[in-house]
Structure formats: structure tokens, C-alpha cells
Coordinates of all heavy atoms in Angstrom, one line a residue:
M103 N 0.8 -1.2 0.0 CA 0.0 0.0 0.0 C 0.8 1.2 0.0 O 1.8 1.3 0.7 CB -0.9 0.0 1.3 CG -1.9 1.2 1.3 SD -2.9 1.0 2.8 CE -1.7 1.6 4.0
L104 N 0.5 2.2 -0.8 CA 1.4 3.4 -0.8 C 1.1 4.2 0.4 O 0.1 4.3 1.0 CB 0.8 4.4 -2.1 CG 1.2 3.8 -3.5 CD1 0.6 4.8 -4.5 CD2 2.6 3.6 -3.7
E105 N 2.3 4.9 0.8 CA 2.3 5.7 2.0 C 1.5 7.1 1.8 O 0.8 7.6 2.6 CB 3.7 6.0 2.4 CG 3.9 6.8 3.7 CD 5.3 7.1 3.9 OE1 6.2 6.3 3.4 OE2 5.7 8.1 4.4
I106 N 1.6 7.5 0.4 CA 1.0 8.8 0.0 C 1.7 9.9 0.9 O 1.1 10.5 1.8 CB -0.6 8.8 0.1 CG1 -1.1 7.6 -0.7 CG2 -1.0 10.2 -0.5 CD1 -2.6 7.6 -0.7
R107 N 2.9 10.2 0.4 CA 3.8 11.2 1.1 C 3.3 12.6 0.8 O 2.7 12.9 -0.2 CB 5.2 11.0 0.8 CG 5.7 9.7 1.1 CD 7.1 9.4 0.7 NE 7.6 8.0 0.9 CZ 8.6 7.5 0.7 NH1 9.6 8.2 0.0 NH2 8.9 6.3 1.1
P108 N 3.4 13.5 1.9 CA 2.8 14.8 1.8 C 3.4 15.9 1.0 O 2.9 16.9 0.8 CB 2.7 15.1 3.3 CG 3.9 14.5 3.9 CD 4.1 13.3 3.1
N109 N 4.7 15.7 0.5 CA 5.3 16.9 -0.2 C 6.2 16.3 -1.2 O 6.7 15.2 -1.3 CB 6.1 17.6 0.9 CG 7.2 16.9 1.5 OD1 7.0 15.7 1.9 ND2 8.5 17.4 1.4
C110 N 6.7 17.3 -2.1 CA 7.7 17.1 -3.1 C 9.1 17.2 -2.4 O 9.4 18.1 -1.7 CB 7.7 18.1 -4.1 SG 9.1 18.1 -5.3
E111 N 9.9 16.1 -2.5 CA 11.2 16.0 -2.0 C 12.2 17.1 -2.4 O 13.2 17.3 -1.7 CB 11.9 14.6 -2.2 CG 11.3 13.5 -1.4 CD 12.1 12.3 -1.5 OE1 13.3 12.3 -1.7 OE2 11.5 11.2 -1.5
M112 N 11.8 17.6 -3.5 CA 12.8 18.6 -4.1 C 12.4 20.1 -3.8 O 13.3 20.8 -3.2 CB 12.7 18.4 -5.7 CG 13.7 19.3 -6.4 SD 15.0 18.4 -7.2 CE 16.4 19.5 -7.2
C113 N 11.1 20.5 -4.1 CA 10.8 21.9 -3.8 C 9.9 22.1 -2.6 O 9.6 23.2 -2.2 CB 10.1 22.5 -5.0 SG 8.5 21.8 -5.4
D114 N 9.6 21.0 -1.9 CA 8.8 21.0 -0.7 C 7.3 21.4 -0.8 O 6.7 21.7 0.1 CB 9.5 21.7 0.4 CG 9.0 21.4 1.8 OD1 8.8 20.2 2.1 OD2 8.8 22.4 2.6
R115 N 6.9 21.6 -2.1 CA 5.5 22.0 -2.2 C 4.5 20.8 -1.7 O 4.9 19.6 -1.7 CB 5.1 22.4 -3.6 CG 4.7 21.3 -4.5 CD 4.1 21.8 -5.9 NE 5.2 22.5 -6.5 CZ 5.1 23.0 -7.8 NH1 4.1 22.7 -8.5 NH2 6.1 23.7 -8.3
D116 N 3.4 21.3 -1.1 CA 2.5 20.2 -0.7 C 1.9 19.4 -1.8 O 1.6 19.9 -2.9 CB 1.3 20.9 0.1 CG 1.7 21.5 1.4 OD1 2.8 21.1 2.0 OD2 1.0 22.4 1.9
L117 N 1.8 18.1 -1.6 CA 1.2 17.3 -2.5 C 0.1 16.4 -1.8 O 0.3 15.2 -1.4 CB 2.2 16.3 -3.2 CG 3.3 17.0 -4.1 CD1 4.4 16.0 -4.5 CD2 2.6 17.6 -5.3
P118 N -1.0 17.0 -1.6 CA -2.2 16.4 -0.9 C -2.5 15.2 -1.7 O -2.3 14.9 -2.8 CB -3.2 17.4 -0.8 CG -2.9 18.4 -1.8 CD -1.4 18.3 -2.0
P119 N -3.3 14.2 -1.0 CA -3.6 12.9 -1.6 C -4.4 13.1 -2.9 O -4.3 12.1 -3.7 CB -4.5 12.3 -0.5 CG -4.3 12.9 0.7 CD -3.7 14.3 0.5
D120 N -5.1 14.1 -3.1 CA -5.8 14.3 -4.3 C -5.0 15.2 -5.4 O -5.6 15.4 -6.4 CB -7.2 14.9 -4.1 CG -7.1 16.3 -3.5 OD1 -5.9 16.8 -3.2 OD2 -8.1 17.0 -3.3
A121 N -3.8 15.4 -5.2 CA -3.0 16.1 -6.2 C -2.8 15.3 -7.5 O -2.3 14.2 -7.4 CB -1.6 16.4 -5.5
T122 N -3.2 15.9 -8.6 CA -2.9 15.2 -9.8 C -1.6 15.4 -10.3 O -1.0 14.8 -11.3 CB -4.0 15.8 -10.8 OG1 -3.8 17.2 -11.0 CG2 -5.4 15.4 -10.5
E123 N -0.8 16.4 -9.7 CA 0.6 16.6 -10.2 C 1.7 15.8 -9.4 O 2.8 16.1 -9.5 CB 0.9 18.1 -10.2 CG 1.0 18.8 -8.8 CD -0.2 19.2 -8.2 OE1 -1.2 18.7 -8.5 OE2 -0.2 20.1 -7.3
A124 N 1.2 14.9 -8.5 CA 2.2 14.1 -7.7 C 2.8 13.0 -8.6 O 2.0 12.4 -9.4 CB 1.5 13.5 -6.5
R125 N 4.0 12.8 -8.5 CA 4.7 11.7 -9.3 C 5.5 10.8 -8.3 O 6.1 11.3 -7.3 CB 5.7 12.3 -10.3 CG 5.0 13.2 -11.4 CD 4.2 12.4 -12.4 NE 3.5 13.4 -13.3 CZ 2.3 13.9 -13.1 NH1 1.6 13.6 -12.0 NH2 1.8 14.6 -14.1
I126 N 5.5 9.5 -8.6 CA 6.3 8.6 -7.7 C 7.1 7.7 -8.5 O 6.9 7.4 -9.7 CB 5.3 7.8 -6.8 CG1 4.4 7.0 -7.6 CG2 4.6 8.7 -5.7 CD1 3.5 6.0 -6.8
C127 N 8.2 7.2 -8.0 CA 9.1 6.1 -8.5 C 8.6 4.8 -7.9 O 7.7 4.8 -7.1 CB 10.4 6.4 -8.3 SG 11.0 6.1 -6.6
S128 N 9.3 3.7 -8.2 CA 8.8 2.4 -7.7 C 9.1 2.3 -6.1 O 8.5 1.4 -5.5 CB 9.6 1.3 -8.5 OG 10.9 1.2 -7.9
Y129 N 9.9 3.1 -5.6 CA 10.2 3.1 -4.2 C 9.3 4.2 -3.5 O 9.5 4.5 -2.3 CB 11.6 3.4 -3.8 CG 12.5 2.3 -4.3 CD1 13.2 2.4 -5.5 CD2 12.7 1.2 -3.5 CE1 14.0 1.4 -5.9 CE2 13.6 0.1 -4.0 CZ 14.2 0.3 -5.1 OH 15.0 -0.7 -5.6
E130 N 8.4 4.8 -4.2 CA 7.5 5.9 -3.7 C 8.3 7.2 -3.3 O 7.8 8.0 -2.6 CB 6.6 5.4 -2.6 CG 5.3 6.2 -2.6 CD 4.4 5.9 -1.4 OE1 4.5 4.8 -0.8 OE2 3.6 6.9 -1.1
C131 N 9.4 7.4 -3.9 CA 10.1 8.7 -3.8 C 9.1 9.6 -4.5 O 8.6 9.3 -5.5 CB 11.4 8.8 -4.5 SG 12.6 7.5 -4.0
T132 N 8.8 10.7 -3.9 CA 7.6 11.6 -4.3 C 8.1 12.9 -4.7 O 8.7 13.7 -4.0 CB 6.5 11.6 -3.2 OG1 6.2 10.2 -2.9 CG2 5.3 12.5 -3.7
F133 N 7.7 13.4 -5.9 CA 8.0 14.7 -6.5 C 6.8 15.3 -7.2 O 5.9 14.7 -7.5 CB 9.2 14.6 -7.4 CG 10.4 14.1 -6.7 CD1 10.7 12.8 -6.7 CD2 11.3 15.0 -6.1 CE1 11.9 12.2 -6.1 CE2 12.5 14.5 -5.5 CZ 12.8 13.1 -5.4
C134 N 6.9 16.6 -7.4 CA 5.8 17.3 -8.2 C 6.1 17.2 -9.7 O 7.3 16.9 -10.1 CB 5.6 18.7 -7.8 SG 7.0 19.8 -8.3
A135 N 5.2 17.3 -10.5 CA 5.4 17.1 -12.0 C 6.3 18.2 -12.5 O 7.2 17.9 -13.4 CB 4.0 17.3 -12.6
D136 N 6.3 19.4 -11.9 CA 7.2 20.5 -12.4 C 8.6 20.1 -12.2 O 9.5 20.1 -13.1 CB 6.8 21.8 -11.5 CG 7.4 22.9 -12.2 OD1 7.6 23.0 -13.2 OD2 8.0 23.8 -11.3
C137 N 9.0 19.6 -11.0 CA 10.4 19.1 -10.7 C 10.8 17.9 -11.6 O 11.8 17.9 -12.2 CB 10.5 18.8 -9.2 SG 10.6 20.2 -8.1
V138 N 9.8 16.9 -11.7 CA 10.0 15.8 -12.5 C 10.4 16.1 -14.0 O 11.3 15.7 -14.7 CB 8.9 14.7 -12.5 CG1 9.0 13.7 -13.6 CG2 8.9 14.1 -11.1
D139 N 9.6 17.1 -14.6 CA 9.7 17.4 -16.0 C 10.8 18.4 -16.3 O 11.5 18.2 -17.2 CB 8.3 18.1 -16.5 CG 7.2 17.1 -16.5 OD1 7.5 15.9 -16.4 OD2 6.1 17.6 -16.5
N140 N 11.0 19.3 -15.3 CA 12.0 20.5 -15.6 C 13.3 20.3 -14.9 O 14.3 21.0 -15.5 CB 11.3 21.7 -15.3 CG 10.1 21.9 -16.2 OD1 10.0 21.7 -17.3 ND2 8.9 22.3 -15.4
V141 N 13.4 19.6 -13.9 CA 14.7 19.5 -13.1 C 15.3 18.1 -13.2 O 16.5 17.8 -13.4 CB 14.6 19.9 -11.6 CG1 15.8 19.9 -11.0 CG2 13.9 21.2 -11.6
L142 N 14.4 17.0 -13.0 CA 14.8 15.7 -12.8 C 14.8 14.9 -14.2 O 15.4 13.9 -14.3 CB 14.0 15.0 -11.7 CG 14.1 15.5 -10.3 CD1 13.1 15.0 -9.4 CD2 15.5 15.5 -9.8
H143 N 14.0 15.4 -15.1 CA 13.8 14.8 -16.4 C 13.7 13.3 -16.3 O 14.4 12.6 -16.9 CB 15.1 15.1 -17.3 CG 15.3 16.6 -17.4 ND1 14.5 17.3 -18.3 CD2 16.1 17.5 -16.8 CE1 14.9 18.7 -18.2 NE2 15.9 18.7 -17.4
N144 N 12.6 12.9 -15.4 CA 12.2 11.6 -15.2 C 13.3 10.7 -14.7 O 13.4 9.5 -15.1 CB 11.7 11.0 -16.6 CG 10.7 9.9 -16.4 OD1 10.1 9.8 -15.3 ND2 10.6 8.9 -17.3
V145 N 14.3 11.3 -13.9 CA 15.3 10.4 -13.3 C 15.1 10.6 -11.8 O 15.3 11.8 -11.3 CB 16.7 10.8 -13.7 CG1 17.7 10.0 -12.8 CG2 16.9 10.7 -15.2
C146 N 14.8 9.5 -11.1 CA 14.7 9.7 -9.6 C 16.1 10.0 -9.0 O 16.9 9.1 -9.3 CB 14.0 8.5 -8.9 SG 14.0 8.7 -7.1
P147 N 16.3 11.0 -8.3 CA 17.7 11.3 -7.8 C 18.1 10.3 -6.7 O 19.2 10.2 -6.3 CB 17.6 12.7 -7.2 CG 16.2 13.0 -7.0 CD 15.4 12.1 -7.9
N148 N 17.2 9.6 -6.2 CA 17.5 8.6 -5.1 C 17.7 7.2 -5.6 O 18.6 6.5 -5.1 CB 16.3 8.5 -4.1 CG 16.0 9.8 -3.4 OD1 16.9 10.6 -3.0 ND2 14.7 10.0 -3.3
C149 N 17.0 6.8 -6.7 CA 17.2 5.4 -7.1 C 17.4 5.3 -8.6 O 17.5 4.2 -9.2 CB 15.9 4.6 -6.8 SG 14.5 5.0 -7.7
A150 N 17.4 6.4 -9.4 CA 17.6 6.4 -10.9 C 16.4 5.9 -11.7 O 16.4 5.8 -12.9 CB 18.8 5.7 -11.3
G151 N 15.3 5.5 -11.0 CA 14.1 5.0 -11.7 C 13.3 6.2 -12.3 O 13.6 7.3 -12.1
G152 N 12.4 5.8 -13.2 CA 11.5 6.7 -13.8 C 10.2 6.9 -12.9 O 10.1 6.3 -11.9
F153 N 9.4 7.9 -13.3 CA 8.2 8.3 -12.5 C 7.0 7.9 -13.2 O 6.9 7.9 -14.5 CB 8.3 9.8 -12.2 CG 9.4 10.2 -11.3 CD1 10.5 10.7 -11.7 CD2 9.3 10.0 -9.9 CE1 11.6 11.0 -10.9 CE2 10.3 10.3 -9.1 CZ 11.4 10.9 -9.6
V154 N 5.9 7.8 -12.4 CA 4.5 7.7 -13.0 C 3.6 8.6 -12.1 O 4.0 8.9 -10.9 CB 4.0 6.2 -12.9 CG1 4.7 5.4 -13.9 CG2 4.0 5.7 -11.5
P155 N 2.5 9.0 -12.6 CA 1.5 9.7 -11.8 C 1.2 8.8 -10.5 O 0.9 7.8 -10.7 CB 0.4 10.0 -12.6 CG 0.8 9.9 -14.0 CD 2.0 8.8 -14.0
R156 N 1.1 9.5 -9.4 CA 0.6 8.8 -8.2 C -0.8 8.6 -8.2 O -1.6 9.6 -8.5 CB 0.9 9.7 -6.9 CG 0.7 8.9 -5.7 CD 1.1 9.8 -4.4 NE 0.3 10.9 -4.3 CZ 0.5 11.9 -3.4 NH1 1.7 11.9 -2.7 NH2 -0.2 13.0 -3.4
P157 N -1.3 7.3 -8.0 CA -2.7 7.1 -8.0 C -3.5 7.9 -6.9 O -2.8 8.1 -5.9 CB -2.9 5.6 -7.8 CG -1.5 5.1 -8.0 CD -0.5 6.1 -7.8
I158 N -4.7 8.2 -7.1 CA -5.4 8.8 -6.1 C -6.4 7.9 -5.3 O -7.1 7.2 -5.9 CB -6.2 10.1 -6.7 CG1 -5.3 11.0 -7.2 CG2 -7.3 10.7 -5.7 CD1 -5.9 12.3 -7.9
R159 N -6.2 7.8 -4.0 CA -7.0 7.0 -3.1 C -8.3 7.6 -2.9 O -8.3 8.8 -2.6 CB -6.2 6.8 -1.8 CG -6.9 5.7 -0.9 CD -6.0 5.4 0.3 NE -4.8 4.8 -0.2 CZ -3.6 4.6 0.6 NH1 -3.7 5.0 1.8 NH2 -2.6 4.1 0.0
P160 N -9.4 6.9 -3.1 CA -10.7 7.5 -3.0 C -11.0 8.1 -1.6 O -10.6 7.5 -0.6 CB -11.7 6.3 -3.2 CG -10.9 5.4 -4.0 CD -9.5 5.5 -3.6
R161 N -11.7 9.2 -1.6 CA -12.0 9.9 -0.4 C -13.1 9.1 0.4 O -13.0 9.1 1.6 CB -12.5 11.3 -0.8 CG -12.2 12.4 0.2 CD -12.6 13.7 -0.3 NE -11.5 14.2 -1.3 CZ -11.9 14.9 -2.5 NH1 -13.1 15.3 -2.7 NH2 -10.8 15.3 -3.3
Q162 N -14.0 8.5 -0.3 CA -15.2 7.8 0.2 C -15.0 6.4 0.1 O -14.5 5.9 -0.9 CB -16.3 8.2 -0.7 CG -17.5 8.9 0.1 CD -18.6 9.0 -0.9 OE1 -18.5 10.0 -1.9 NE2 -19.7 8.4 -0.7
A163 N -15.4 5.6 1.1 CA -15.3 4.2 1.1 C -16.4 3.7 0.2 O -17.5 3.4 0.6 CB -15.3 3.6 2.5
R164 N -16.2 3.5 -1.1 CA -17.2 2.9 -2.1 C -17.1 1.4 -2.0 O -18.1 0.8 -2.5 CB -16.9 3.5 -3.4 CG -17.2 5.0 -3.4 CD -16.7 5.7 -4.7 NE -16.8 7.1 -4.6 CZ -17.8 7.9 -4.8 NH1 -19.0 7.3 -5.1 NH2 -17.8 9.1 -4.7
R165 N -16.1 0.8 -1.4 CA -16.0 -0.5 -0.9 C -15.7 -0.4 0.5 O -14.9 0.4 1.0 CB -14.9 -1.3 -1.6 CG -15.2 -1.5 -3.1 CD -16.2 -2.6 -3.4 NE -16.1 -3.0 -4.8 CZ -17.1 -3.7 -5.3 NH1 -18.1 -4.2 -4.5 NH2 -17.0 -4.1 -6.6
P166 N -16.4 -1.3 1.4 CA -16.1 -1.1 2.8 C -14.6 -1.3 3.2 O -13.9 -2.2 2.7 CB -16.9 -2.4 3.4 CG -17.9 -2.7 2.3 CD -17.3 -2.3 1.0
G167 N -14.1 -0.4 4.1 CA -12.8 -0.4 4.6 C -11.7 0.0 3.7 O -10.5 0.0 4.1
V168 N -12.0 0.6 2.6 CA -10.9 1.1 1.7 C -11.2 2.5 1.3 O -12.1 2.8 0.4 CB -10.6 0.2 0.4 CG1 -9.8 -1.0 0.9 CG2 -11.9 -0.3 -0.2
S169 N -10.5 3.4 1.9 CA -10.7 4.8 1.6 C -9.6 5.7 2.2 O -8.8 5.0 3.0 CB -12.0 5.4 2.0 OG -12.0 5.5 3.5
L170 N -9.5 6.9 2.0 CA -8.5 7.8 2.6 C -8.7 7.8 4.1 O -7.7 8.1 4.9 CB -8.7 9.2 2.0 CG -7.4 10.1 1.8 CD1 -6.3 9.3 1.2 CD2 -7.9 11.3 1.1
T171 N -10.0 7.7 4.6 CA -10.3 7.6 6.0 C -9.8 6.4 6.7 O -9.2 6.4 7.7 CB -11.7 7.9 6.3 OG1 -12.2 8.9 5.4 CG2 -12.0 8.1 7.7
D172 N -9.9 5.3 5.9 CA -9.6 4.0 6.5 C -8.1 3.8 6.5 O -7.5 3.3 7.5 CB -10.2 2.8 5.7 CG -11.7 2.9 5.8 OD1 -12.2 2.5 6.9 OD2 -12.4 3.2 4.9
Q173 N -7.4 4.2 5.3 CA -6.0 4.3 5.3 C -5.4 5.6 5.0 O -5.2 6.0 3.8 CB -5.5 3.3 4.2 CG -5.8 1.7 4.5 CD -7.2 1.4 4.1 OE1 -7.8 1.9 3.3 NE2 -7.7 0.4 4.9
P174 N -5.2 6.4 6.1 CA -4.9 7.8 5.9 C -3.6 8.0 5.2 O -2.7 7.2 5.4 CB -5.0 8.4 7.2 CG -5.0 7.3 8.2 CD -5.4 6.1 7.5
P175 N -3.3 9.2 4.6 CA -2.0 9.5 3.9 C -0.9 9.7 5.0 O -1.1 9.9 6.1 CB -2.3 10.7 3.2 CG -3.5 11.4 3.8 CD -4.2 10.3 4.4
G176 N 0.3 9.5 4.6 CA 1.4 9.8 5.5 C 1.6 11.2 5.7 O 1.1 12.1 5.0
T177 N 2.3 11.5 6.9 CA 2.4 12.9 7.3 C 4.0 13.3 7.3 O 4.2 14.4 7.6 CB 1.8 13.1 8.7 OG1 2.3 12.1 9.6 CG2 0.3 13.0 8.6
K178 N 4.8 12.3 7.2 CA 6.2 12.5 7.3 C 6.7 13.2 6.1 O 6.8 12.6 5.1 CB 7.0 11.2 7.7 CG 8.4 11.4 8.1 CD 9.2 10.3 8.2 CE 10.7 10.5 8.3 NZ 11.6 9.5 7.9
R179 N 7.2 14.5 6.3 CA 7.8 15.2 5.1 C 9.2 14.8 4.9 O 9.9 14.6 5.8 CB 7.7 16.8 5.4 CG 6.3 17.3 5.5 CD 6.3 18.8 5.7 NE 6.4 19.5 4.4 CZ 5.3 19.8 3.7 NH1 4.1 19.4 4.0 NH2 5.5 20.5 2.6
R180 N 9.6 14.7 3.6 CA 10.9 14.2 3.2 C 11.6 15.3 2.4 O 10.9 16.1 1.8 CB 10.9 12.9 2.4 CG 9.8 12.0 3.0 CD 10.4 10.6 3.1 NE 9.3 9.9 3.8 CZ 9.4 8.5 4.2 NH1 10.5 7.9 3.9 NH2 8.4 7.9 4.7
S181 N 12.9 15.3 2.5 CA 13.7 16.1 1.6 C 14.9 15.5 1.1 O 15.4 14.5 1.8 CB 14.0 17.4 2.3 OG 14.8 17.2 3.5
L182 N 15.4 15.9 0.0 CA 16.6 15.2 -0.6 C 17.8 15.2 0.2 O 18.0 16.3 0.8 CB 16.8 15.8 -2.0 CG 15.8 15.3 -3.2 CD1 16.1 16.1 -4.4 CD2 16.0 13.9 -3.4
K183 N 18.5 14.2 0.2 CA 19.8 14.2 1.0 C 21.0 14.7 0.1 O 22.0 14.9 0.6 CB 20.1 12.8 1.6 CG 19.0 12.3 2.4 CD 18.9 12.7 3.8 CE 17.8 12.0 4.6 NZ 16.5 12.6 4.4
H184 N 20.8 14.6 -1.2 CA 21.8 14.8 -2.1 C 22.0 16.4 -2.4 O 21.0 17.0 -2.4 CB 21.6 14.1 -3.4 CG 21.2 12.7 -3.3 ND1 22.2 11.7 -3.0 CD2 20.1 12.0 -3.3 CE1 21.6 10.6 -2.9 NE2 20.3 10.7 -3.1
R185 N 23.1 16.8 -2.7 CA 23.3 18.2 -3.0 C 23.0 18.5 -4.5 O 22.9 17.6 -5.3 CB 24.9 18.6 -2.8 CG 25.2 18.7 -1.4 CD 26.7 18.9 -1.2 NE 27.5 18.1 -2.2 CZ 28.6 18.4 -2.6 NH1 29.4 19.4 -2.2 NH2 29.3 17.6 -3.5
L186 N 22.6 19.7 -4.8 CA 22.0 20.0 -6.0 C 23.0 19.7 -7.2 O 22.6 19.1 -8.2 CB 21.6 21.5 -6.1 CG 20.9 21.9 -7.4 CD1 19.7 21.1 -7.7 CD2 20.6 23.4 -7.4
E187 N 24.3 20.0 -7.0 CA 25.3 19.7 -8.1 C 25.4 18.2 -8.3 O 25.6 17.7 -9.5 CB 26.6 20.3 -7.9 CG 27.4 19.8 -6.7 CD 27.5 20.9 -5.6 OE1 26.5 21.6 -5.3 OE2 28.5 21.1 -5.1
D188 N 25.2 17.3 -7.3 CA 25.2 16.0 -7.4 C 24.0 15.5 -8.2 O 24.1 14.7 -9.1 CB 25.2 15.2 -6.1 CG 26.5 15.5 -5.2 OD1 27.6 15.7 -5.9 OD2 26.5 15.4 -4.0
I189 N 22.9 16.0 -7.9 CA 21.6 15.7 -8.6 C 21.8 16.0 -10.1 O 21.4 15.3 -10.9 CB 20.5 16.4 -8.0 CG1 20.2 15.9 -6.6 CG2 19.2 16.3 -8.8 CD1 19.2 16.6 -5.7
T190 N 22.2 17.3 -10.3 CA 22.4 17.7 -11.7 C 23.2 16.7 -12.5 O 22.9 16.3 -13.6 CB 23.0 19.1 -11.8 OG1 22.1 19.9 -10.9 CG2 22.9 19.7 -13.2
A191 N 24.4 16.4 -12.0 CA 25.3 15.4 -12.7 C 24.6 14.0 -12.8 O 24.8 13.4 -13.9 CB 26.6 15.3 -11.9
F192 N 24.0 13.6 -11.8 CA 23.3 12.3 -11.9 C 22.2 12.2 -12.9 O 22.2 11.2 -13.6 CB 22.8 12.0 -10.4 CG 22.2 10.6 -10.2 CD1 23.0 9.5 -10.1 CD2 20.8 10.4 -10.1 CE1 22.5 8.3 -9.8 CE2 20.2 9.1 -10.0 CZ 21.2 8.0 -9.8
V193 N 21.4 13.3 -13.0 CA 20.4 13.4 -14.0 C 21.0 13.5 -15.4 O 20.6 12.7 -16.3 CB 19.5 14.6 -13.6 CG1 18.6 14.9 -14.9 CG2 18.6 14.4 -12.5
A194 N 22.0 14.2 -15.5 CA 22.6 14.4 -16.9 C 23.2 13.0 -17.3 O 23.1 12.7 -18.5 CB 23.8 15.4 -16.8
A195 N 23.7 12.2 -16.4 CA 24.4 11.0 -16.8 C 23.3 9.9 -17.1 O 23.6 8.9 -17.7 CB 25.3 10.5 -15.6
T196 N 22.1 10.1 -16.6 CA 21.1 9.0 -16.7 C 19.9 9.3 -17.6 O 19.2 8.3 -18.1 CB 20.5 8.8 -15.2 OG1 21.6 8.7 -14.3 CG2 19.7 7.5 -15.1
R197 N 19.6 10.5 -17.8 CA 18.3 10.8 -18.5 C 18.2 10.3 -19.9 O 17.1 10.1 -20.5 CB 18.0 12.4 -18.5 CG 19.1 13.2 -19.2 CD 18.9 14.8 -19.1 NE 17.8 15.2 -19.9 CZ 17.5 16.4 -20.2 NH1 18.3 17.3 -19.8 NH2 16.6 16.7 -21.1
G198 N 19.4 10.2 -20.6 CA 19.4 9.6 -22.0 C 19.1 8.1 -22.0 O 18.7 7.5 -23.1
I199 N 19.0 7.5 -20.9 CA 18.7 5.9 -20.9 C 17.3 5.8 -20.5 O 16.8 6.2 -19.5 CB 19.6 5.2 -19.8 CG1 21.1 5.6 -20.1 CG2 19.3 3.7 -19.9 CD1 21.9 5.2 -18.9
P200 N 16.4 5.2 -21.3 CA 15.0 5.0 -20.9 C 14.9 4.2 -19.6 O 15.7 3.3 -19.5 CB 14.4 4.2 -22.2 CG 15.4 4.3 -23.3 CD 16.7 4.6 -22.6
P201 N 13.8 4.5 -18.8 CA 13.8 3.7 -17.6 C 13.8 2.3 -17.8 O 14.4 1.6 -16.9 CB 12.4 4.3 -17.1 CG 12.2 5.6 -17.7 CD 12.9 5.5 -19.1
E202 N 13.2 1.8 -18.8 CA 13.2 0.3 -18.9 C 14.5 -0.3 -19.2 O 14.7 -1.5 -19.1 CB 12.1 -0.1 -19.9 CG 12.4 0.4 -21.4 CD 11.8 1.7 -21.6 OE1 11.6 2.6 -20.7 OE2 11.4 2.0 -22.8
D203 N 15.5 0.5 -19.6 CA 16.9 0.0 -19.9 C 17.9 0.4 -18.7 O 19.1 0.1 -18.8 CB 17.4 0.6 -21.1 CG 16.6 0.0 -22.3 OD1 16.1 -1.1 -22.3 OD2 16.5 0.8 -23.3
R204 N 17.4 1.1 -17.7 CA 18.3 1.5 -16.7 C 18.5 0.3 -15.8 O 19.3 0.2 -14.9 CB 17.7 2.7 -15.8 CG 17.7 4.0 -16.6 CD 17.1 5.1 -15.8 NE 16.7 6.2 -16.6 CZ 15.7 7.0 -16.3 NH1 15.2 7.1 -15.2 NH2 15.4 8.0 -17.2
Ligands
ZN537 ZN1 8.7 19.9 -6.8
ZN538 ZN1 13.3 6.6 -6.4

């Protein structure tokens, strides 16, 4: 089950559970579409994986026991541990390789 993290690890903007601009990698590193498209170029700076839009968990339990109320989103904010110049070099070295070939 996804944790549904509350913010972009890069620019720290809020990414509430219903945000259509939230992007995640396979480890659920979480970023906004703006950072993914313009800074990270579809390279996760933590794991080198590509990104997909984060699915939106329904607000209302339309099936018993499964909703945002039953499994609330995560509250722990995260931020990148890498320095910006490291990220830039990492992205430059990786972005030319399609995610399925990394
Ligand atoms: Zn961002
Ligand atoms: Zn990642």
C-alpha cells in the first residue's frame, strides 16, 4: 500500500492525496510534476528510476474499509539528502537511458 507522502522532496510543495501533479518512482520517492519534468527529467535522484503519476486513493469508502479515512495518507515530510550539483550530474548521466533500460 502506498504511503502517500505529503510533499515534493525537491521543492517541498504540498502534494495532498488528491494532487494530480504528484509523481512517484517504484520506491515511492515523491516529487511534483514540475520538478520531474523540468529538473529531474524523469530520473529519480534517489534510485535512478522513472516516474509515474501517483494514483489517487478514494476519499469515500465505495467498498467497505478502503478509503482515505480507512488508510490515511502519510504525514512525514521528506527532503533530498543529495546536493544540487550531485543531482544535476546524476540526472545528466542518466536521462538519456530510458527507464526500462536502466
Ligand atoms: Zn517539486
Ligand atoms: Zn526513487
Side-chain angles (χ1 to χ4, degrees):
M103 185 180 73
L104 293 180
E105 182 184 332
I106 309 184
R107 299 178 182 173
N109 67 309
C110 173
E111 283 189 36
M112 180 116 212
C113 71
D114 197 40
R115 86 173 60 168
D116 289 341
L117 293 171
D120 61 355
T122 55
E123 73 272 24
R125 301 287 180 269
I126 57 172
C127 75
S128 76
Y129 294 97
E130 208 187 335
C131 308
T132 303
F133 297 89
C134 70
D136 190 39
C137 286
V138 165
D139 294 343
N140 302 312
V141 184
L142 300 173
H143 301 285
N144 203 29
V145 177
C146 176
N148 299 319
C149 72
F153 291 100
V154 294
R156 185 177 68 190
I158 294 177
R159 186 169 297 164
R161 212 170 283 149
Q162 233 183 298
R164 295 170 190 277
R165 294 284 193 189
V168 282
S169 73
L170 211 49
T171 311
D172 294 288
Q173 291 83 29
T177 54
K178 189 188 171 203
R179 299 182 81 84
R180 320 233 172 175
S181 61
L182 282 172
K183 306 279 184 281
H184 311 284
R185 291 175 316 160
L186 186 59
E187 64 248 46
D188 293 335
I189 293 169
T190 307
F192 188 73
V193 166
T196 312
R197 63 184 284 197
I199 308 164
E202 61 270 30
D203 293 329
R204 288 178 199 158

